Amino acid sequence: MENQVRVRFAPSPTGGLHLGGVRTVLFNYLFAKKHKGTFVLRVEDTDQTRFVEGAEDYIFDCLDWAGLPADESPRKPGDFAPYRQSERKPMYRQYAEQLIAQGNAYYAFDTPEELEKMRESLKTTENPSPQYDHRTRSQMRNSLNLSTEEVKALLDAGVPYVVRIKMPENETVHFTDLIRGDISHETNVVDDKVLLKSDGMPTYHLAVVVDDYLMKITHAFRGEEWLPSAPIHIMLWKYLGWEAEMPKWAHLPLILKPDGNGKLSKRDGERLGFPVFAMEWKDPKSGELIDGFKEKGFLPEAFVNLLVMLGWNPGTEQEIFTLEELSELFSLERVHKGGAKFDYEKAKWYNQQHIQRADNDRLAGLVKPYFEAKGISITDDQKLTEAVAMVKERCHLLTDFTEQASFLFQAPDHLDLDAVKPKWTTEKTAFFTEWSETLQDTANAADLEAAFTECAAKHGIKKGELMMPLRIMLVGGKFGPGVFDIITFIGAAETKKRVASALLLLA
Ligand code: GLU
């Protein structure tokens, strides 16, 4: 099928996957689903100096967790394999050579010292960091300045070289961005980027264009930070004669720091105490371990929901969406240009909303490890499911469940009796002693409450004065679901035990 939508996410596996990266995945994924197209994951690993062990597997893990798998990838090759640029190395050279033959690129033999010298000698106040471009290229050791024989001799002698694009002078490169409209760049301010490195590897600029072409990519969505590279890519599409097949571009808005001042970075997360990566990332070099949204207790569907709202809006009041709904509703017309501020409290609200909608058995399975990590062994999974149902509305994160529900499995370590003690009376002790003696197991919280109310009346104490002490005896603090629901859950024997030990503290 010729006009089939093909989009791609093209990460360089260099570290943890930032939420902006996952949002790029998401927009690609949704666009592909909406148009019944194909979502390609291409690994852009041509920069060997930035190779990070485990980073590629990590990207796959993040996409699996978020529920956004690619249709074609190094793990699921389609018709355009290989999907890892390092394995496509032999494919790129011919295009670099074509560009040289056409006069749109050139060999540059300059050594690092020569480049440094150029930067030093051409430095002026107006041009403090001279680039390799139309102003300086004539003074450098490249095939534009050397004779054909000299170039041949250098190549034959195996002198290291790079291939650089020859950016045209005094031209304006235009393209239409699906989010930003007409974009233009002056070629004079764009330097002659390296296309092929001395090790024969393409740079990102050449590889991204060649691969988008060869993989028949129809739409290229990427972060706004790639906008300055667009003129290089557009020129390459033109020079290689592929302009008619050029993908439609969309540069997605930045995700901003909570105060709106600049792009959200890993350090902002550390500084402000929230995750920035999708999943836990352990830096293999430094050994540094950084938690992700998953480890902080986010559900993947909530993560996806909060991400889509960072840059897109449905045009209605609706805020909570499933991935299926989004696959129907998503459109680039509703992606805005302006950066989207990240708000962690709002992110947690999305999670709380999805927790309410999530199946309790599933939630129980997800939170069980948190209980076990706290030394609370869950012997009956069904009980945990019931506990989850009782407390879920109070939980913003999966990690909140232990705090909200531990007392359903073990007596609290500490009873916050400070507010109770000053108002304590021997009558209250008498009441609790008698009431707990009569207590029996029942599944009916309303019956329990009726018996409690009756006993309070008998002792001449207002029920209202007894409810908070009872809660603290059972829970440890002033929180949790209905006290009589707690009693039906933990049972009469356990309730009696907790009341008795609290009475000892109040005596
Ligand atoms: N490899 C680039 C990255 O790391 C891809 C940018 C693009 O999508 O063109 O994000």
Side-chain angles (χ1 to χ4, degrees), residues 8-12 42 44 204 208 212 221-222 226 233 249:
R8 88 305 191 268
F9 175 55
S12 297
R42 182 176 68 228
E44 303 213 324
Y204 155 68
V208 78
D212 281 350
F221 309 150
R222 57 188 183 187
W226 296 101
H233 303 164
W249 299 96

Side-chain angles (χ1 to χ4, degrees), residues 22-283:
V22 190
R23 194 201 48 185
T24 302
V25 172
L26 178 61
F27 286 10
N28 273 291
Y29 175 95
L30 294 176
F31 190 82
K33 288 287 165 256
K34 168 114 188 227
H35 296 279
K36 312 223 170 334
T38 305
F39 169 41
V40 177
L41 173 74
R42 182 176 68 228
V43 175
E44 303 213 324
D45 57 349
T46 56
D47 190 349
Q48 313 270 286
T49 59
R50 293 176 71 211
F51 175 81
V52 175
E53 187 73 51
E56 184 187 307
D57 286 342
Y58 168 86
I59 291 169
F60 278 100
D61 292 346
C62 290
L63 267 54
D64 281 349
W65 174 67
L68 305 171
D71 301 308
E72 295 174 17
S73 74
R75 292 200 180 167
K76 200 181 166 204
D79 295 341
F80 303 89
Y83 288 81
R84 210 176 270 122
Q85 286 183 331
S86 58
E87 292 167 17
R88 301 170 67 81
K89 186 178 171 188
M91 299 190 188
Y92 305 107
R93 175 171 291 275
Q94 57 173 307
Y95 299 107
E97 281 168 4
Q98 178 189 335
L99 293 167
I100 296 170
Q102 292 171 185
N104 303 127
Y106 56 89
Y107 295 108
F109 299 96
D110 317 273
T111 62
E113 295 73 36
E114 285 166 337
L115 289 172
E116 188 48 42
K117 221 171 98 196
M118 175 271 276
R119 287 193 192 104
E120 275 309 307
S121 67
L122 298 177
K123 212 156 65 178
T124 61
T125 30
E126 296 94 74
N127 193 8
S129 51
Q131 308 203 58
Y132 209 120
D133 60 15
H134 67 101
R135 283 168 297 187
T136 57
R137 65 165 86 100
S138 63
Q139 301 170 56
M140 304 303 293
R141 212 149 63 88
N142 57 48
S143 58
L144 299 174
N145 307 322
L146 302 167
S147 69
T148 318
E149 295 72 38
E150 283 170 315
V151 171
K152 188 171 181 310
L154 288 169
L155 293 177
D156 289 348
V159 171
Y161 65 85
V162 297
V163 175
R164 287 181 181 271
I165 186 171
K166 187 178 171 202
M167 281 306 279
E169 254 174 88
N170 304 322
E171 278 188 27
T172 308
V173 186
H174 288 279
F175 72 97
T176 304
D177 186 283
L178 294 174
I179 298 169
R180 282 148 219 279
D182 187 50
I183 303 270
S184 57
H185 286 93
E186 299 307 321
T187 54
N188 282 1
V189 297
V190 184
D191 58 328
D192 290 353
K193 286 271 183 285
V194 172
L195 300 178
L196 203 67
K197 291 180 279 189
S198 53
D199 61 2
M201 268 291 189
T203 57
Y204 155 68
H205 299 296
L206 178 63
V208 78
V209 171
V210 168
D211 286 342
D212 281 350
Y213 171 73
L214 294 178
M215 293 183 168
K216 298 197 185 317
I217 299 302
T218 57
H219 297 77
F221 309 150
R222 57 188 183 187
E224 186 184 324
E225 62 275 23
W226 296 101
L227 211 43
S229 299
I232 304 153
H233 303 164
I234 308 283
M235 288 316 297
L236 287 173
W237 279 94
K238 285 190 182 168
Y239 286 157
L240 289 163
W242 299 334
E243 215 182 338
E245 281 111 311
M246 187 164 80
K248 294 194 169 61
W249 299 96
H251 289 85
L252 310 176
L254 293 177
I255 298 181
L256 303 175
K257 296 179 201 296
D259 63 8
N261 279 322
K263 191 179 163 188
L264 183 73
S265 73
K266 188 183 99 182
R267 275 170 298 283
D268 296 319
E270 284 160 11
R271 188 168 56 88
L272 301 166
F274 55 72
V276 167
F277 291 156
M279 279 170 69
E280 174 183 274
W281 168 249
K282 184 169 188 206
D283 191 295

